[in-house]
Amino acid sequence: MGNRFQVKDRFADGAQYIDGQLRAGTSGQSHTVVDPATGEEVLTYELASTADVDEAVAAAKRAFPAWSAATPGERSDTLHRLAAVLAEQAEDFAYAESLQCGKPIKLSTEFDVPGTIDNTAFFAGAARHLQGQAAAEYSGDHTSYVRREAIGVVGSIAPWNYPLQMAAWKILPAIAAGNTIVLKPAELTPLTSLMFAQAAKDAGLPDGVVNIVTGAGRDAGEHLVGHPDVVMTSFTGSTAVGKRVAEIATATVKRLHLELGGKAPFLVFDDADLEAAAHGAVAASLINTGQDCTAATRAYVQRPLHDAFVARVAELMETVRLGDPNDWATDLGPLVSHAQRDRVAGFVERARGYATVVTGGEIPGGELAEGAYYRPTLVSGAAQDSEVVQSEIFGPVLVVLPFDTDDEGIELANDTPYGLAASAWSRDVYRANRATREIKAGCVWVNDHIPIISEMPHGGYKASGFGKDMSAYSFEEYTQVKHVMYDNTAVAAKDWHRTIFGDRT
C-alpha cells in the first residue's frame, strides 16, 4: 500500500466543495488534519464560514429542481457509475481514510471502502423502487394513491470515526430519493468526504447536488442546521451534541434524523460457546480502536462462565498487535487524536479506584510513543452504576460484569440511557429469541456482534436517537409522502355536502 497521491496537492484549492468545485474556506481560521499514528501534519486548510454555508445551500437549492425531476432510472444510472468510480479509486480512499483516522489499512481496505461501494450499489438499485401504496377506492367514490417525493435541501453532519462510510450513509439515500445535500464532515477528518463528492462528479452527478462544507460545529454546523432553506437535518454524533442539533432544528420545524451514542451490551448466557463469545468480544470491542457507537462495551456474562470468559478475553487481547496503520500486520491503530486517547485513559485511570484493570490500561512507549495509541483494555469488578459502565468511552475498553438469572441479564443490558445495538450469545433458540425481543436496541445480533449490511436499517432507541440509515427504510427520512385522491363520480352536488349546507336530496 503506497501513497498514490499527495494530499496537499490534491486539496491545494481548499477543503470546501461547493457547486462542483474545491475552494478555500473564508472564515479566516485554519485547521490542521493530523496523522494520529505519528502526530505529523497531513493538511492545513481554511475552515468554512457561515457565508460558505450559505453558498453551498444556495447551490443545492439551485440544483434541486432538475435533480428531483430526474427519473429514478437516471438517478440509478448515476449511482451505478459512482460505485464503479469508487471501486477504481479504492486504494486512494483506503490510504486517505487510514491517514486521517489512524485505521489499520486492512480495516479501511476490507471494511470501510468496500462497505461504501456496496452502499452505493445498493442505493443505485433502491432509487428505482420508491413506491407508495397501491391505488384503490378506499372511500368507494374516490381513487387514492400515494406519491413519494423528494423533500428539498438536506443539511447533514457526519462524525470522525467512519468519515467515508458516514458521508455515504448521509449522501446516498438523500440523492437517490431526488434531494440535494450539504454535508459537514468533522474538521478532523474531511479528506474522504471531499473525495467522495469529487468521485460523484466524475460519475456524472450534476454540480450542486452534493456539497461539502468543512467548518467548526458551533459556526458552520449550527448555521447549516438552522438555515431556512434546509428542510431536513441528519446528524450522527454524541447524544449531547445531538440535543443541541435538535434544539436548532425544531426551532425552524425541520425534519430531523439523529443517530447518537451507544453503550452496546454483549450478553453471554451460560450455554454459550465460550470460545466464540470470547473471540467475538475482542473483535467487537476493538473494531476501529473501539471508536464505534455499536462496539461491544459492556459484557454481561452468566456467572458459571464469567471467570473463564474474563481469562480468555484477556488472553486474546494480549495478542493484538499495535503498530503502523499502513502495515498489514497491524491489528489496532491509534485513536483519532491525542485528546481522544487521553479522554479514554482518564476513564480507565478513574476506574482503577473501584474496579480491576485485568489487562491493558496503558499508553505504549517506544516507537508508538508519538502516536495516539492505547492498549486493548479489559475491566472487571465494576458496579452497574459506575462511570465506566454507564458512560460512552469510545475507545478500546471492554467492561465485564456477572449476572445470575436470565431476567437479571436482560435487565442489566437495558440499564443505560442508550439503545443502539446489542448482542446475545446462546445455543438455545428460545433464550436468544427472548433476548432479541426484550433488549431495547435498534439492532440485536445473535452469536455475533458488529456485522452490518446495506439491505438492513441502522438506528437506535432511547438516547441513541431515531430514524434509520441504510436500507429502504432510510427513504422514510428522505421522502415526503403525499396522498393524492381523485373523485370518480362526476357528481356536482355530493351527498357529503349536506353536512356543510343544504338538505339531503
Side-chain angles (χ1 to χ4, degrees):
M1 172 62 63
N3 180 357
R4 298 198 303 147
F5 66 91
Q6 294 297 318
V7 171
K8 292 180 182 179
D9 292 341
R10 178 74 173 257
F11 299 108
D13 292 331
Q16 317 300 326
Y17 187 83
I18 299 173
D19 207 13
Q21 299 294 326
L22 280 174
R23 63 173 74 175
T26 62
S27 69
Q29 297 177 314
S30 63
H31 185 83
T32 298
V33 178
V34 173
D35 179 352
T38 64
E40 296 176 355
E41 175 192 343
V42 173
L43 176 72
T44 297
Y45 65 92
E46 296 298 313
L47 291 166
S49 66
T50 56
D52 296 324
V53 173
D54 289 342
E55 287 192 42
V57 172
K61 187 176 180 180
R62 288 193 301 271
F64 176 73
W67 182 246
S68 62
T71 67
E74 290 168 339
R75 294 198 293 267
S76 175
D77 289 346
T78 302
L79 291 178
H80 277 300
R81 291 194 298 271
L82 175 56
V85 172
L86 294 173
E88 291 170 0
Q89 300 177 9
E91 186 177 347
D92 284 354
F93 274 98
Y95 169 78
E97 194 76 338
S98 290
L99 183 64
Q100 66 183 352
C101 300
K103 294 175 188 283
I105 196 64
K106 66 180 182 180
L107 180 67
S108 58
T109 299
E110 298 179 8
F111 182 78
D112 297 73
V113 174
T116 300
I117 295 170
D118 185 73
N119 288 163
T120 307
F122 170 80
F123 279 107
R128 304 186 80 137
H129 296 281
L130 282 169
Q131 298 173 345
Q133 193 170 9
E137 288 67 49
Y138 295 98
S139 77
D141 291 335
H142 307 82
T143 296
S144 289
Y145 67 88
V146 170
R147 292 176 53 88
R148 282 194 179 273
E149 298 180 346
I151 57 177
V153 178
V154 177
S156 292
I157 300 176
W160 48 256
N161 58 334
Y162 290 100
L164 175 59
Q165 286 196 313
M166 294 300 99
W169 286 16
K170 301 300 183 194
I171 292 170
L172 292 170
I175 67 173
N179 303 293
T180 56
I181 187 168
V182 179
L183 174 76
K184 193 196 90 65
E187 306 96 294
L188 290 172
T189 55
L191 304 183
T192 47
S193 299
L194 293 163
M195 291 168 63
F196 188 91
Q198 291 176 302
K201 180 170 183 173
D202 292 344
L205 190 75
D207 292 347
V209 175
V210 172
N211 306 273
I212 309 292
V213 290
T214 308
R218 290 189 178 277
D219 299 320
E222 292 197 1
H223 189 66
L224 176 62
V225 173
H227 200 289
D229 289 331
V230 170
V231 299
M232 177 201 166
T233 290
S234 177
F235 170 80
T236 296
S238 71
T239 298
V241 178
K243 290 178 180 178
R244 175 61 179 156
V245 169
E247 290 174 359
I248 299 169
T250 53
T252 52
V253 200
K254 293 188 192 327
R255 184 177 294 200
L256 185 60
H257 167 220
L258 298 175
E259 198 267 89
L260 307 177
K263 190 70 177 175
F266 187 98
L267 187 60
V268 183
F269 294 102
D270 58 14
D271 67 335
D273 181 326
L274 177 63
E275 193 69 7
H279 278 81
V282 173
S285 62
L286 300 185
I287 185 171
N288 202 34
T289 319
Q291 299 166 124
D292 187 313
C293 48
T294 63
T297 59
R298 302 177 288 138
Y300 296 101
V301 185
Q302 208 149 22
R303 206 170 293 275
L305 288 186
H306 176 270
D307 292 351
F309 179 88
V310 169
R312 185 58 175 141
V313 169
E315 183 179 36
L316 290 172
M317 279 189 170
E318 288 164 5
T319 70
V320 173
R321 299 163 296 186
L322 280 69
D324 179 358
N326 283 323
D327 186 342
W328 280 83
T330 294
D331 297 321
L332 196 75
L335 287 105
V336 74
S337 68
H338 289 77
Q340 180 65 14
R341 181 203 63 189
D342 293 345
R343 179 180 179 274
V344 171
F347 275 101
V348 177
E349 289 308 306
R350 292 190 295 274
R352 293 184 193 277
Y354 55 81
T356 300
V357 177
V358 179
T359 189
E362 298 172 348
I363 296 173
E367 294 180 355
L368 302 180
E370 297 301 316
Y373 290 90
Y374 197 75
R375 294 200 183 280
T377 301
L378 183 65
V379 177
S380 68
Q384 174 66 14
D385 62 356
S386 62
E387 177 191 51
V388 78
V389 175
Q390 292 292 323
S391 298
E392 189 173 27
I393 298 172
F394 230 55
V397 180
L398 177 65
V399 185
V400 184
L401 299 89
F403 70 93
D404 291 305
T405 66
D406 290 15
D407 287 349
E408 181 191 10
I410 292 172
E411 181 180 357
L412 290 169
N414 284 328
D415 185 29
T416 72
Y418 302 106
L420 187 58
S423 63
W425 297 74
S426 173
R427 291 184 173 97
D428 185 329
V429 65
Y430 298 102
R431 215 174 194 184
N433 199 28
R434 179 194 174 190
T436 65
R437 292 194 310 271
E438 297 186 13
I439 292 175
K440 304 304 181 188
C443 175
V444 182
W445 293 281
V446 176
N447 295 327
D448 207 345
H449 191 117
I450 283 297
I452 56 174
I453 50 176
S454 298
E455 291 83 357
M456 289 292 111
H458 176 86
Y461 284 33
K462 303 189 292 185
S464 291
F466 48 82
K468 300 300 179 184
D469 287 308
M470 296 200 300
S471 83
Y473 289 98
S474 66
F475 287 131
E476 300 299 327
E477 319 303 326
Y478 294 100
T479 57
Q480 186 69 266
V481 174
K482 177 187 287 184
H483 171 215
V484 178
M485 195 176 203
Y486 282 91
D487 170 60
N488 293 330
T489 66
V491 173
K494 294 178 172 55
D495 187 57
W496 72 268
H497 291 175
R498 70 182 179 82
T499 63
I500 312 301
F501 70 100
D503 298 320
R504 184 188 295 271
T505 57

